[in-house]
Amino acid sequence: AQSVTQLDSHVSVSEGTPVLLRCNYSSSYSPSLFWYVQHPNKGLQLLLKYTSAATLVKGINGFEAEFKKSETSFHLTKPSAHMSDAAEYFCVVSDPRRGYSTLTFGKGTMLLVSP
Amino acid sequence: DAGVTQSPTHLIKTRGQQVTLRCSPKSGHDTVSWYQQALGQGPQFIFQYYEEEERQRGNFPDRFSGHQFPNYSSELNVNALLLGDSALYLCASTFTGTSQPQHFGDGTRLSIL
């Protein structure tokens, strides 16, 4: 079985300050990991993915995440927050043995960005 | 290049009714997955269709059924609607056999009265 725990339901930052969204996973195999973002009343947009290549993964809009197997973590970071980053972020794990079909989502972290 | 499109965007039904939601995958994709996202929760996997057959299924009752057409588009049907079925229903597509991640549509917001 696989699962994802997003450690914070809400994170508040000021514009221009760093962003850290925390995610821990549980998996009995080497998983594929993703971060998706969801803006209000919109679908999910892929930010980045980890598929057993480089452990530091760069995504769109300046986001990156580091896969740490020893800590079973896949935290999402951004050096400087922008107002447009305010959205809900989901950490996702999948079983690469079955392709990307079985996606297991965390409960999400709402990122609030203040001016 | 059109992405994943879903229709309708919003729908209101009453308990006991039946509903059909539609999804057209991204061009070039052959696999469609459906997810239910309740308010304040992450999406949960309902099922996946490939080659017009249900390939995988999550923990959802038989009231939830689907179909995939030869052009790869898909429908999600829910019978005997319950208040708890109120949610955002998301469709995602990908191309089986590649490392492409799933692309999501904007969803259908279903409200049950």
Side-chain angles (χ1 to χ4, degrees):
Chain A
Q2 55 191 19
S3 66
V4 171
T5 301
Q6 292 185 242
L7 299 170
D8 306 291
S9 60
H10 292 80
V11 169
S12 294
V13 300
S14 298
E15 191 174 21
T17 63
V19 175
L20 170 64
L21 305 183
R22 299 182 295 165
C23 171
N24 288 116
Y25 70 91
S26 174
S27 176
S28 55
Y29 41 80
S30 296
S32 293
L33 292 160
F34 309 83
W35 277 96
Y36 280 86
V37 62
Q38 186 175 36
H39 288 91
N41 300 313
K42 288 290 186 180
L44 295 154
Q45 180 185 21
L46 179 70
L47 280 178
L48 49 81
K49 63 178 180 179
Y50 165 77
T51 55
S52 75
T55 56
L56 183 61
V57 182
K58 294 188 183 299
I60 62 171
N61 300 334
F63 285 95
E64 63 181 37
E66 186 172 8
F67 174 73
K68 292 186 177 180
K69 186 176 181 179
S70 60
E71 299 176 9
T72 61
S73 69
F74 190 57
H75 301 336
L76 181 71
T77 61
K78 182 173 181 179
S80 176
H82 192 273
M83 295 296 291
S84 61
D85 294 329
E88 187 147 29
Y89 292 78
F90 292 96
C91 183
V92 183
V93 63
S94 77
D95 180 352
R97 301 170 300 175
R98 306 171 74 183
Y100 293 96
S101 56
T102 311
L103 296 183
T104 301
F105 284 76
K107 292 189 175 182
T109 298
M110 183 66 71
L111 176 63
L112 307 170
V113 183
S114 57
Chain B
D1 178 19
V4 179
T5 58
Q6 293 186 242
S7 64
T9 54
H10 294 85
L11 203 51
I12 299 174
K13 292 286 188 179
T14 58
R15 283 178 296 174
Q17 286 188 313
Q18 178 265 344
V19 69
T20 298
L21 311 182
R22 296 175 176 82
C23 172
S24 293
K26 180 179 169 66
S27 177
H29 287 183
D30 60 2
T31 302
V32 173
S33 301
W34 287 92
Y35 294 82
Q36 180 195 66
Q37 186 178 15
L39 198 62
Q41 300 294 318
Q44 289 196 310
F45 175 70
I46 302 175
F47 43 53
Q48 181 185 82
Y49 276 83
Y50 172 67
E51 293 189 337
E52 302 180 48
E53 291 190 357
E54 182 181 292
R55 180 161 69 173
Q56 294 184 56
R57 189 178 183 92
N59 188 27
F60 278 81
D62 292 344
R63 299 187 297 108
F64 290 77
S65 63
H67 188 77
Q68 185 179 35
F69 300 94
N71 67 353
Y72 308 118
S73 66
S74 177
E75 290 181 349
L76 164 65
N77 302 293
V78 187
N79 295 323
L81 286 166
L82 304 174
L83 292 178
D85 296 330
S86 294
L88 179 68
Y89 288 85
L90 294 163
C91 173
S93 71
T94 189
F95 184 68
T96 290
T98 70
S99 61
Q100 292 184 32
Q102 295 189 26
H103 290 252
F104 284 81
D106 286 344
T108 294
R109 174 74 62 186
L110 176 63
S111 299
I112 311 300
L113 302 180

